[in-house]
């Protein structure tokens, strides 16, 4: 199911091999705690095979959430323990984890680690430019104004052409896309710092796909589809697609507790499943 669903989602992204300038904006909606992290990890793997050269994964606003997500992506995509990859000064040694034990011939390149969010000094010390690496580059960063601006500054300094643009396909995945990413300023000519930083990063690349993941998409679909800024470009309205994730068969969510049918009219299988989750307390 995951494989099929992510193939469908990949088809909705921009073709990384297509020339010229393009941008895609979309939203993925899944049930609470139903495997959204596994879904975007799978999407990143497929997007890398399709030709995307950089992946920026925006986690929540808290460092402990970012670290947890980095650990999942180390195992699911990079194949290396990011703490060793970004060892102080230079690459010291590789410790394969997760998919790295399945096939160690290809490793991802990562500019963040379980210990640290993106740091300009660390990325510069690696002395790697996006053009120089054959494998896709992953950055797992939290939604923090200073960190996002630092990432944009490093990309401009080390990778942009004379026009200030990077001619590589970017996939940006925004986890909990309704948290902190939305421009909540009242005045149309003002922008919140994190929303501006996200749009600035997207605008750096000539080709980009932005995919928000959330279980509560209400704020995202109410983003003004017409809002644009000369410097920042379009806002994050999911104008190109909204994709619904299929929950696994053993998932128990709100539909399990509040079935569409009358509980007294459920068929035997549904009734047994529903009652299995209930316990009477005297």
């Amino acid at each position: 199911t995951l494989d099929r669903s992510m193939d469908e989602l990949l088809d909705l992204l921009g073709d990384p091999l297509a020339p010229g300038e393009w941008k895609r904006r979309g939203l993925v909606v899944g049930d609470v705690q139903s495997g959204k992290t596994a879904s975007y990890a799978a999407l990143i793997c497929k997007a890398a095979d399709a030709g995307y050269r950089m992946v920026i994964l925006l986690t929540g606003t808290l460092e402990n959430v970012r670290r947890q997500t980095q650990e999942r992506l180390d195992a699911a995509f990079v194949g290396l323990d990011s703490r060793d990859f970004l060892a102080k000064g230079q690459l010291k040694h590789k410790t394969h984890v997760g998919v790295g034990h399945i096939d160690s011939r290809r490793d991802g390149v990562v500019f963040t680690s379980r210990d640290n969010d993106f740091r300009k000094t660390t990325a510069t010390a690696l002395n790697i430019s996006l053009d120089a690496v054959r494998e896709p580059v992953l950055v797992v960063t939290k939604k923090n104004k200073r960190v996002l601006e630092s990432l944009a500054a490093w990309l401009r300094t080390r990778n942009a052409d004379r026009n200030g643009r990077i001619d590589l396909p970017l996939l940006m995945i925004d986890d909990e896309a309704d948290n902190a990413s939305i421009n909540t300023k009242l005045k149309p000519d003002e922008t919140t710092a994190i929303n501006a930083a996200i749009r600035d990063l997207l605008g750096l690349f000539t080709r980009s796909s932005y995919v928000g993941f959330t279980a509560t998409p209400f704020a995202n679909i109410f983003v003004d589809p017409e809002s644009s800024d000369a410097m920042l470009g379009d806002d994050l309205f999911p104008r190109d697609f909204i994709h619904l994730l299929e929950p696994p068969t053993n998932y128990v969510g709100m539909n399990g507790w509040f079935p569409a049918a009358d509980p007294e009219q459920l068929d035997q299988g549904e009734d047994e499943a529903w009652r299995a989750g209930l316990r009477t307390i005297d």
Side-chain angles (χ1 to χ4, degrees):
T1 301
L2 182 65
D3 190 34
R4 185 185 70 249
S5 182
M6 289 306 102
D7 277 345
E8 292 170 1
L9 182 52
L10 185 69
D11 285 341
L12 297 171
L13 305 186
D15 180 356
L17 303 182
E21 293 196 18
W22 49 258
K23 52 192 172 185
R24 299 280 288 177
R25 299 280 189 272
L27 186 66
V28 176
V29 183
D31 291 278
V32 175
Q33 292 295 317
S34 66
K36 289 191 292 297
T37 305
S39 295
Y40 62 65
L43 178 63
I44 288 171
C45 290
K46 287 177 179 290
D49 283 343
Y52 276 89
R53 295 291 303 281
M54 182 161 195
V55 179
I56 298 175
L57 172 53
L58 304 174
T59 63
T61 56
L62 303 175
E63 176 61 16
N64 59 349
V65 176
R66 191 205 67 80
R67 287 178 179 173
Q68 183 182 9
T69 307
Q70 179 80 61
E71 189 172 351
R72 290 279 297 272
L73 267 294
D74 281 359
F77 172 67
V78 183
L80 298 170
D81 187 327
S82 52
R83 292 172 297 186
D84 291 334
F85 189 85
L86 293 179
K88 193 173 181 181
Q90 61 179 9
L91 181 64
K92 298 288 179 69
H93 63 278
K94 295 181 179 181
T95 304
H96 284 104
V97 296
V99 294
H101 292 305
I102 299 171
D103 187 348
S104 59
R105 290 174 299 174
R106 293 186 68 189
D107 300 320
V109 177
V110 61
F111 285 173
T112 51
S113 75
R114 283 195 243 171
D115 291 339
N116 295 305
D117 203 336
F118 181 83
R119 291 182 175 177
K120 216 154 96 173
T121 50
T122 306
T124 303
L126 281 172
N127 198 29
I128 299 175
S129 68
L130 301 182
D131 268 336
V133 292
R134 287 173 39 242
E135 304 297 351
V137 173
L138 173 69
V139 173
V140 180
T141 183
K142 58 184 174 289
K143 299 177 198 179
N144 175 284
K145 173 180 179 288
R146 183 185 58 79
V147 175
L148 295 176
E149 288 179 348
S150 176
L151 174 58
W154 179 81
L155 286 168
R156 278 194 176 89
T157 304
R158 304 282 297 188
N159 299 279
D161 59 22
R162 63 180 65 186
N163 298 316
R165 305 290 299 282
I166 300 171
D167 188 22
L168 291 172
L170 164 74
L171 171 61
M172 180 182 285
I173 292 179
D174 187 352
D175 194 13
E176 307 298 350
D178 58 324
N179 175 28
S181 304
I182 303 294
N183 180 19
T184 53
K185 290 287 188 182
L186 187 61
K187 296 180 179 178
D189 59 338
E190 293 181 358
T191 312
T192 53
I194 293 175
N195 177 267
I198 292 172
R199 290 161 66 182
D200 182 42
L201 277 168
L202 287 166
L204 260 175
F205 290 79
T206 57
R207 293 166 281 165
S208 65
S209 289
Y210 168 88
V211 187
F213 276 74
T214 183
T216 49
F218 314 108
N220 303 82
I221 61 175
F222 283 116
V223 170
D224 182 1
E226 303 300 326
S227 61
S228 186
D229 181 279
M231 292 291 289
L232 299 174
D234 297 339
D235 207 345
L236 306 178
F237 178 74
R239 65 166 188 260
D240 295 304
F241 63 87
I242 296 178
H243 181 77
L244 300 181
L245 289 180
E246 199 177 325
T249 54
N250 61 347
Y251 176 76
V252 179
M254 298 306 284
N255 290 338
W257 299 113
F258 302 100
D262 183 339
E264 294 182 6
Q265 302 297 321
L266 298 175
D267 65 38
Q268 185 178 350
E270 289 175 318
D271 186 57
E272 288 174 1
W274 190 67
R275 293 187 186 282
L278 300 178
R279 183 174 59 177
T280 302
I281 299 174
D282 295 325

